[in-house]
Amino acid sequence: MVLALSWQRPLSGRWPGAGSASLDPSTVETVTLLSEKHVIPSLGARKLRDLSAEDVDRWLSAKAKTLSTRTLQSLHSCLNRAVKRAMARDKVKRNVVELCSVPQGQAGRPSKTLTFAQAEAVLKGAEGTSMYAYIVVALLTGARTEELRALTWDHVFLKGRPDLEPAQPPHIAVWRSVRRSGDTKTRKSRRTLALPGRCVEALWRQFEDQGWDRLAADEEWEEHGLVFSSAVGKPLDAADVRRAFRQALKGIDGINADEWTPRELRHSFVSLLSDRGVPLEEISRLVGHSGTAVTEEVYRKQIRPVIQTGAVAMDGIFGTD
């Protein structure tokens, strides 16, 4: 069996065979792209029974000269799944890919965070754009882009719940994402976040603007109940958000729009809270991490390294000369 045959399904959007209906379309698209660009040109003509661990090691080592470690891990996973699928169909007796480790690749672009001055400039400069409410909510709540793209109006409470005891302030229920299952990334990612006043104002404006979009679109409007949608109500994908986000940042002093991504609003949220002395445990709860270890691992550069709680408290008790 030629290895290229095991990639016919990914190329036709059916990777990895049975059960593909449960896969997120973006996953299928990513695997197809990786296989077409990196796997098939290098290994596609090889017969599976002749593929050796040395072949895979050499291939990964060559790719490590130009690709990031994360991309190498994805390539290894793609090839591993393809060979496993072949094993399940008795096309090959063993999976040599599992015997190979992923080498260290090139360093990826490190995430950046907005300073307070930059954040203020972004909030001011984005006002009046289609992304204004999205930027405000992402920066001031730390919600993931996949969570905001799935946010619906029935999970937004701009007046709060004054009828409850105790009364609830304005808030959003971050209970969904654009993942295939519709659920959030982890169990603790499902959270309810109080909205800062600036978010409430921006979302009221978003609600009104969307009403005008609905009237303008007339019969072309698709009702999905989404807070952030296209001009005709359709869901936004990651590329839509990234493109509109960078467009909103153009012309803002001190900001190179092409160097920033929407997910860095979440990183900036963590950084700004840490700078204000908010405890790591509370930041973890707000961003929906399963524990502080995840927050430290992902946002290590954004977390204030010096624990100042004791010093600040003692200064307050004893004062300074």
Side-chain angles (χ1 to χ4, degrees), residues 170-182:
H171 60 276
I172 56 174
V174 184
W175 293 352
R176 300 175 64 250
S177 77
V178 294
R179 292 169 178 267
R180 184 79 177 188
S181 65

Side-chain angles (χ1 to χ4, degrees), residues 47-60:
K47 292 183 178 180
L48 272 178
R49 65 173 179 269
D50 296 335
L51 185 69
S52 67
E54 288 77 11
D55 292 330
V56 177
D57 281 334
R58 281 196 295 269
W59 171 64
L60 288 172

Side-chain angles (χ1 to χ4, degrees), residues 83-319:
V83 178
K84 275 186 175 181
R85 180 173 173 273
M87 284 182 66
R89 288 154 181 78
D90 295 322
K91 302 298 182 182
V92 66
K93 297 302 181 184
R94 67 173 186 153
N95 184 358
V96 297
V97 182
E98 289 188 322
L99 305 176
C100 302
S101 58
V102 178
Q104 184 73 31
Q106 303 303 303
R109 183 182 76 81
S111 293
K112 305 187 300 298
T113 65
L114 297 167
T115 64
F116 174 72
Q118 287 176 320
E120 281 283 24
V122 166
L123 292 174
K124 183 178 180 180
E127 196 165 359
T129 69
S130 62
M131 283 294 287
Y132 177 65
Y134 181 99
I135 290 172
V136 173
V137 176
L139 180 61
L140 272 61
T141 69
R144 297 178 176 91
T145 181
E146 66 191 48
E147 295 167 343
L148 291 181
R149 283 161 49 206
L151 184 65
T152 54
W153 285 112
D154 59 351
H155 283 169
V156 176
F157 302 87
L158 296 180
K159 296 181 180 179
R161 297 291 301 276
D163 54 313
L164 298 181
E165 183 62 40
Q168 293 181 350
H171 60 276
I172 56 174
V174 184
W175 293 352
R176 300 175 64 250
S177 77
V178 294
R179 292 169 178 267
R180 184 79 177 188
S181 65
D183 205 353
T184 51
K185 187 173 183 179
T186 67
R187 183 177 59 83
K188 287 196 174 182
S189 293
R190 202 175 200 207
R191 61 208 187 278
T192 301
L193 300 172
L195 291 171
R198 208 160 181 170
C199 288
V200 175
E201 294 175 4
L203 286 171
W204 274 122
R205 189 182 306 178
Q206 175 74 2
F207 184 77
E208 294 172 0
D209 290 345
Q210 197 176 80
W212 289 112
D213 286 341
R214 187 181 289 104
L215 285 175
D218 197 16
E219 293 182 356
E220 293 184 15
W221 181 264
E222 293 185 13
E223 188 56 66
H224 296 279
L226 295 168
V227 175
F228 305 108
S229 65
S230 73
V232 293
K234 292 182 178 181
L236 301 173
D237 61 25
D240 293 330
V241 172
R242 184 168 56 251
R243 184 168 48 250
F245 173 70
R246 288 176 173 168
Q247 185 61 38
L249 264 55
K250 287 188 180 299
I252 299 177
D253 290 341
I255 300 292
N256 185 337
D258 294 332
E259 292 182 353
W260 293 88
T261 62
R263 67 184 172 86
E264 286 166 330
L265 294 173
R266 177 172 163 88
H267 283 257
S268 300
F269 170 82
V270 171
S271 178
L272 292 168
L273 287 186
S274 182
D275 284 344
R276 287 301 177 98
V278 177
L280 180 59
E281 291 79 8
E282 188 62 20
I283 295 176
S284 294
R285 288 180 60 220
L286 290 168
V287 296
H289 283 160
S290 57
T292 57
V294 179
T295 311
E296 287 185 296
E297 175 65 24
V298 178
Y299 299 97
R300 184 178 295 123
K301 293 181 180 178
Q302 285 74 49
I303 298 297
R304 180 182 290 184
V306 179
I307 301 174
Q308 304 185 53
T309 309
V312 171
M314 287 300 151
D315 277 344
I317 295 171
F318 295 107

